[in-house]
Amino acid sequence: MNFDETDKKLLLFLQEDCKQTTKELSYKLGLSVTAVYERIKKLENLGVISKYVALLDRHKINRDFIVLCHIKLTQHKKEFVLQFEREVMNLQEVTECFHVSGDYDYILKIGVKDMEDYRNFMLSKLTALQHIASTHSSFMISEVKNTTAIVL
């Protein structure tokens, strides 16, 4: 898809703060309120803007212990892969799950309260999933970059 400079700016402004009014955006972009509204609707209808969300502060909700857990499945049978993916979708502690190439099959980003909370998660939820051969966990020391913005 090709975007003009105005669309690119608009998308950046919306990613910074999607609660801005069309009036505020029109002022920043030098367009009429109607033109901004129509551009936003076009981007939504095309699926470029897929949803609007509130980003929570992990520290304020006691979910600031971040773990990257590498998962290896016992086999790569289609039914094992699909079952694992269905089950991991129900784990509220898992905020991201990537099917990857290399030594492991999946990488999970997990947010919990602390090490004890992670241990409980591992023992009661993650290891209860079928077809997991092994796990390898890495713990976040500090957050260097964390953004949801995509610059075009």
Side-chain angles (χ1 to χ4, degrees), residues 10-114:
L10 175 58
L11 288 168
L12 192 58
F13 291 145
L14 288 171
Q15 289 181 97
E16 289 171 358
D17 179 8
C18 68
K19 289 188 76 171
Q20 296 176 81
T21 66
T22 50
K23 184 176 181 180
E24 292 170 318
L25 292 166
S26 71
Y27 176 76
K28 290 179 179 181
L29 295 168
L31 297 173
S32 70
V33 172
T34 303
V36 170
Y37 175 82
E38 288 173 357
R39 280 180 183 261
I40 291 171
K41 280 298 165 203
K42 178 187 81 174
L43 292 166
E44 290 172 346
N45 291 335
L46 291 171
V48 174
I49 298 173
S50 59
K51 66 176 146 179
Y52 298 92
V53 299
L55 300 176
L56 306 182
D57 184 326
R58 288 192 316 265
H59 302 288
K60 294 184 179 177
I61 60 168
N62 272 340
R63 289 298 236 0
D64 55 348
F65 190 78
I66 303 300
V67 182
L68 296 177
C69 183
H70 297 69
I71 306 283
K72 191 178 291 188
L73 298 182
T74 55
Q75 294 180 27
H76 296 105
K77 289 183 178 180
K78 182 179 181 179
E79 63 263 23
F80 288 12
V81 167
L82 295 176
Q83 181 178 3
F84 174 80
E85 290 177 359
R86 276 192 309 273
E87 291 175 347
V88 82
M89 293 294 287
N90 296 319
L91 300 176
Q92 68 182 18
E93 296 86 351
V94 176
T95 58
E96 297 179 58
C97 175
F98 303 100
H99 192 180
V100 297
S101 64
D103 292 337
Y104 293 93
D105 300 310
Y106 291 90
I107 299 175
L108 309 181
K109 182 177 176 185
I110 301 164
V112 290
K113 180 179 156 189
D114 53 24

